[in-house]
Amino acid sequence: MNIIIMIMNWRIILLGILIFKRGICYEKCKPNIAIIGGGIGGAASSHFLTELFNNNLNIDLYEAKIIGGRLATIKVDGNEFEAGGSIIHPQNKYMRDFVELLGLEHRPSKGKKTSIWNGNEIIFEESNWEILSFIKLIYRYGVQPFSLNRYVTSIINNFEKIYHLQDNGEVFTNISSLLLSMNPEFPKLLEKSIKSEILNLGYSEKLINELVKTTLVVNYGQDTNVHSFVGFVSLAGAGFNLWSVKGGNKKVPEHLIYRNKHVNVVPSHVIKIINILNNDTQNLYEVHYHNQDSTNIMKATYDIVILAIPLIHNQEFPITFEGFPNNDFFSPAKYHETIATFVKADLKPHYFGLEAELDNILSCDPNRTIISSLGRLNSVEGSMKNSNVWKIFSNKPLKSNIINEMFSNVQEIKQIAWKAYPEYSTKIHEAKFKLHNALYHVNAIEWIASAMEMSAIGGRNVALLAHRDFFRKFCIEKIIQTSSLKKKLRTEL
């Protein structure tokens, strides 16, 4: 008797699957989705949602400024240069996949001579010959840089398990569960500073205060008191074979969004999200917004809302939440502001204690150097040999007298202030991907580390969560309601 019941249960389940496959669910379960934010996180979410819902969805994507977010370019002397996220790691699977899918091209990072500056002197300078650079590295730090690189590679290899997990449909509601799925030790890295972690591994303070600190100053504008995981991500960003997208990294979110016929771009600022509970207990969200050309407040209702923006109290376009059990979804921490200054000029090598120009000058002590890094730029098209356009990162706007001390023949200056990434510490709050029943937050992943690939991973996780939750709560009920097995399915399931 039990065997017969089990067989019948499986037959009912299989019938339900067949009904789903034949389109009953897709016909009746077409979600209306709002994505707030048109950067790489929002773009990745729209792409993965479209795949998961098999093109059976409507997406309104709200962007208050420009599609691309922190992936942006700036025009200097008639050429376009990367102004935001500029470097992609060779093992960043989703960014590689997007570039291939969209028919874009890689722009390899060309080898440039780099030095480390402490404000008084250049403490390390690369050579034109790679072997000589290795010898100089060993002379100053021994073999520790190579040992540390192997350790960082092992961290990356463990982290790459996320791709297999997501391919299998695994979902994570918060950052700890995501890290735990890849390695039980990973969540602990959020509680220890990169300095203490590397010291415990047996590396010298000299290596930490110079090489490790330099990568953090350059990539995140911060010191070695950040948590260990973001510290290792920063070290990975100092690797080889780094690349970017020809024409600008912003082309990835632009093409993912504008080529998707199921995405309607709404050039508007979202000001409020209200949780509405209707008669059949299905949650709906009412999004209030006004567009760039009007102050009139408009509203629209959605089954799913995805926030692909930072949730911080001092964000540029604040959003209020109403009708939720907890209306405060904002992080108690803040985002770090970094200033990107673009200068068309001739470098003064003597300011840095150099005899001749170098392509990149990196700081290991921004309190003394004022700047975090300075680098000669190539255009996003990869042209311009021996360019005289430079990009300077600093934690504060550069005064004109400082620029004139560093450069001669200054012809053009442009500055952009970015709320670029979180202020990292070892007291990271438990950032959540799922804020409410069908309200999700892509940028929770940035509290692990901020990078293009991290945003894409966060986007896919949120897409998987939204699809799973919507199907469980809505589509299965629709199958029950519309199929001829309505009563039977309710009884058996």
Side-chain angles (χ1 to χ4, degrees), residues 198-211:
I198 294 182
L199 278 174
N200 289 338
L201 290 170
Y203 294 95
S204 69
E205 288 214 30
K206 185 176 184 179
L207 179 84
I208 295 166
N209 292 335
E210 292 181 4
L211 292 187

Side-chain angles (χ1 to χ4, degrees), residues 45-65:
S45 299
S46 68
H47 168 75
F48 290 121
L49 281 166
T50 303
E51 285 188 338
L52 288 163
F53 281 100
N54 197 27
N55 299 306
N56 193 65
L57 76 173
N58 295 314
I59 298 174
D60 284 340
L61 188 143
Y62 293 85
E63 174 53 56
K65 297 178 82 172

Side-chain angles (χ1 to χ4, degrees), residues 112-116 358-362 374-376 390:
K112 295 179 178 180
K113 285 180 65 177
T114 297
S115 66
I116 299 174
L358 283 180
D359 296 316
N360 293 308
I361 298 170
L362 314 179
L374 178 151
R376 188 196 304 274
W390 304 80

Side-chain angles (χ1 to χ4, degrees), residues 277-309:
L277 193 64
N278 66 13
N279 293 333
D280 63 2
T281 71
Q282 177 198 348
N283 275 98
L284 293 173
Y285 300 109
E286 191 173 80
V287 172
H288 292 222
Y289 64 98
H290 62 74
N291 63 38
Q292 296 170 350
D293 302 319
S294 171
T295 57
N296 294 331
I297 295 175
M298 293 165 279
K299 57 187 178 182
T301 304
Y302 299 95
D303 304 296
I304 298 166
V305 173
I306 292 173
L307 298 158
I309 54 172

